[in-house]
Amino acid sequence: MATQLPVRIEFRLPDGWQAAPPDEVGAPGVAFVALHPASCATEGGFTANITIAGQVRDPALTMLALADESVRRLEQNAGTVHVRSRTELGSPEAPGLTQALDILATVRGEALPLVQTQVLVSMTDVDDPTKRVVLELVLTCTAEQLDAVIGDFQEFVRTVRPAEAEAGRS
């Protein structure tokens, strides 16, 4: 079942990407999915995709611990996972992390090597600094698709931000 994010965000999808209902495309537990239909014509018919998930997390958890948790979740759900690279970013007040993963997943009954680029973004609640939300922005594609879609993903990540307050609300 698709989930809602604990914070409102806004973003812009690059050209060529289309939003899709998470439950209908087999992505339960995420709040948003975008598909890149043109990529489906390559490498076994896998469609490159971007997902957004997020939840309230203990502020004491490090970004490395959260990244390790993400890898363990993938291993349980998708199969073999290898961490290709990991980079911490941001500041102590707004930490973040990117990681590139190689995944050997079973797709339509066949083993398919995939690449996943994850960006973990931490946001502290402005009204309650003891609450922290961590967003997971994720690109999943085949190695052959990566060069064609990584620039779009980077462009997408740059547009993600907290949503503007609605008129009349503070």
Side-chain angles (χ1 to χ4, degrees):
M1 171 182 234
T3 63
Q4 286 191 320
L5 293 175
V7 293
R8 290 184 336 103
I9 62 171
E10 56 189 33
F11 54 86
R12 189 180 62 71
L13 281 176
D15 291 339
W17 291 83
Q18 299 173 349
D23 290 333
E24 290 180 23
V25 295
V30 302
F32 178 80
V33 175
L35 303 175
H36 190 261
S39 66
C40 188
T42 64
E43 193 54 38
F46 184 81
T47 304
N49 61 80
I50 294 172
T51 61
I52 303 174
Q55 56 186 307
V56 175
R57 302 307 308 256
D58 181 342
L61 285 171
T62 66
M63 295 307 283
L64 287 172
L66 294 169
D68 287 341
E69 184 182 285
S70 178
V71 169
R72 283 191 300 277
R73 242 186 355 261
L74 273 172
E75 288 171 335
Q76 291 173 349
N77 296 319
T80 304
V81 179
H82 169 73
V83 178
R84 182 188 298 184
S85 66
R86 205 177 251 178
T87 304
E88 290 186 85
L89 46 97
S91 66
E93 298 78 30
L97 182 139
T98 63
Q99 63 182 1
L101 309 172
D102 292 310
I103 304 167
L104 185 58
T106 302
V107 178
R108 292 184 291 278
E110 294 187 29
L112 180 64
L114 298 173
V115 176
Q116 193 170 88
T117 301
Q118 299 181 344
V119 178
L120 306 180
V121 179
S122 178
M123 298 178 170
T124 303
D125 187 312
V126 293
D127 297 321
D128 183 356
T130 64
K131 286 174 48 178
R132 172 176 79 162
V133 170
V134 176
L135 297 178
E136 293 183 16
L137 313 173
V138 178
L139 168 68
T140 305
C141 61
T142 66
E144 290 78 12
Q145 296 165 335
L146 185 60
D147 286 344
V149 295
I150 191 68
D152 286 354
F153 180 65
Q154 292 166 334
E155 178 184 326
F156 161 76
V157 168
R158 283 191 293 272
T159 70
V160 176
R161 65 176 116 312
E164 297 286 328
E166 293 178 25
R169 293 184 64 189
S170 51

